Amino acid sequence: MKPNTGGIRHDFHDPWLKARLQPRRRRWSWVAIGIAPLLAVVALLFVSETNLSKLPAADSLAPEAAIPQVALAATTAESAAPSFVGPEQHPELVGGLGDAAIVDLLVGRGDTLELLFRRNGLKLADLAEMTVLPDAAEHLRVLMPGNEIQVAHRDGAVVSLIREIDEILLLEIRRGEGGFEAVTTARDFDVRTVEAHGEIRTSLFEAAVDAGVSDALTMEMAGIFQWDIDFIQDVRSGDTFTVIHEELWREGEKLRNGNILAAEFVNRGTRFRAARYTDAAGTTGYYTPEGLSVRKAFMRAPVEFTRISSNFNPNRRHPVLNTIRAHRGVDYAAPTGTPVMAAGDGTVEFRGRDGGYGNVVVLRHGGNVTTLYAHLARFGTARVGSRVRQGDIIGHVGSTGLATGPHLHYEYRIAGVHRNPRTVPLPPADPIPADYRQDFEATAAALWRRLDVNAQTGLASAAD
Ligand SMILES: [Zn+2]
């Protein structure tokens, strides 16, 4: 079928570039909104010279990049296979087991709970009962090699089952009066606050390693400052960073990193600072010393992408038509199906098929801004007229319309005029509500002082 090229507004992918784009599996959840464009950061960990060939193989970074930083529910790269906590460490967990026999199920490659139950002569009927418990199902479905599950039983009839969900959470299922019951308990841990300071010589990534900061934490720090610093373009040798963060410990052993409490990034002489704050209403964010959100009203890139495959360019020579045709958006290459997020709060103005754009969504925002998302494989749930919040999934990356490979074509318009989404000044997000301002200042004061001290120390060592 001959594509309709009348009024063409489509995108082209260099086949060579496309060949280099290996889809990578990641498991970001929506919680990663703030870090969404961060996949860029994978690429940007190396000080930018536009020479992409100097970038590390993205895949070598992917495993860490893939780790969502979710409060206390996520595991981080720091966590080795957790050591199993048996009844000897947790006698309270085995109270009432009496004469039950205890068997540790060690998960091997390809094992399922069913296989492990069969192998150990445990009753499959009990397993079936346990796996439908609402609180247990998700934690029993997925097993990883190296996981350990402890089962107490009498002649194969399960009395209790315990498994570590992560370093903190423990799932316990017990046979009660009316069948099995599942309880999730949080085990004790200590929180330590530590800080790291680094100066960039070759790359942010290497400076972070030198400073003892993990890739995951580096990504998170970059996520905090992504709204002000383009980590692909802007990072230079001589830039410095300080990060104050939590570590979770138990019995002298570090479990993993916790939240970043405050961070500073000095980029080409400009100092950016942010502190984490949770207000009484439960809203958590990172704020500047002036109480402004580090976030902007719009995300720079509303998708987790592997490469920018085509930049905003009013004078682009079209590779197929060989004529000058403006490319009035930015193309973010990403595997088909990658979620596309609303760049800012707004309402759905258009959702449907539109020529070379394929499946397209247009959002209307405050300040006479509209944003456009093209070539979608499919749409999210928001319909025309629906309100969406920044980060809501409005569709999925595809290659509908005139596109030679899966990518998001993203446009940003002010009063109908196309602007470069990567450089247009973005309006700030809401500041700390006035009611919480005083509390924030009191909470953050100590963190700013620590950053001050680090800044001094950093200066002193730089002067050596
Ligand atoms: Zn495009």
Side-chain angles (χ1 to χ4, degrees), residues 141-213:
R141 208 166 32 233
V142 180
L143 304 183
M144 301 295 282
N147 285 171
E148 284 185 65
I149 295 159
Q150 190 178 71
V151 179
H153 67 96
R154 290 194 186 89
D155 297 328
V158 175
V159 180
S160 78
L161 178 150
I162 301 170
R163 90 162 286 190
E164 285 186 331
I165 297 170
D166 59 22
E167 301 90 335
I168 307 300
L169 297 176
L170 204 62
L171 169 72
E172 194 201 359
I173 303 174
R174 278 166 179 264
R175 189 189 291 279
E177 303 275 307
F180 287 108
E181 294 161 8
V183 197
T184 304
T185 46
R187 294 150 63 200
D188 287 343
F189 58 90
D190 303 320
V191 178
R192 299 183 188 176
T193 303
V194 298
E195 55 201 45
H197 178 81
E199 177 173 342
I200 291 158
R201 301 281 179 203
T202 53
S203 73
L204 173 56
F205 177 70
E206 285 185 10
V209 169
D210 289 345
V213 177

Side-chain angles (χ1 to χ4, degrees), residues 23-59:
R24 286 178 284 134
R25 288 279 141 247
R26 288 184 218 93
R27 41 188 187 89
W28 291 86
S29 63
W30 68 271
V31 211
I33 285 169
I35 339 180
L38 257 204
L39 265 271
V41 176
V42 173
L44 40 96
L45 289 173
F46 275 63
V47 176
S48 64
E49 290 148 57
T50 38
N51 185 353
L52 287 179
S53 67
K54 291 201 175 173
L55 296 175
D59 285 331

Side-chain angles (χ1 to χ4, degrees), residues 10-11 310 316 327 329-331 375 407 409-410:
H10 70 274
D11 307 308
S310 185
R316 182 171 72 158
H327 187 237
V330 174
D331 291 349
H375 308 310
H407 72 282
H409 169 94
Y410 173 60

Side-chain angles (χ1 to χ4, degrees), residues 229-285:
I229 302 170
D230 180 337
F231 281 87
I232 294 178
Q233 303 276 348
D234 295 347
V235 175
R236 291 290 182 276
S237 177
D239 285 0
T240 61
F241 63 86
T242 302
V243 56
I244 301 172
H245 67 93
E246 295 173 333
E247 285 181 350
L248 310 188
W249 288 70
R250 182 187 300 123
E251 290 163 8
E253 190 189 345
K254 183 183 167 184
L255 302 173
R256 58 181 162 91
N257 288 325
N259 296 313
I260 291 180
L261 301 179
E264 174 182 282
F265 200 99
V266 180
N267 177 231
R268 297 199 265 182
T270 305
R271 187 178 303 275
F272 297 94
R273 279 186 173 184
R276 182 186 174 90
Y277 177 68
T278 302
D279 65 31
T283 304
T284 297

Side-chain angles (χ1 to χ4, degrees), residues 81-99:
S83 55
F84 185 70
V85 174
E88 58 281 6
Q89 289 101 322
H90 279 253
E92 75 279 7
L93 296 176
V94 288
L97 292 184
D99 56 346

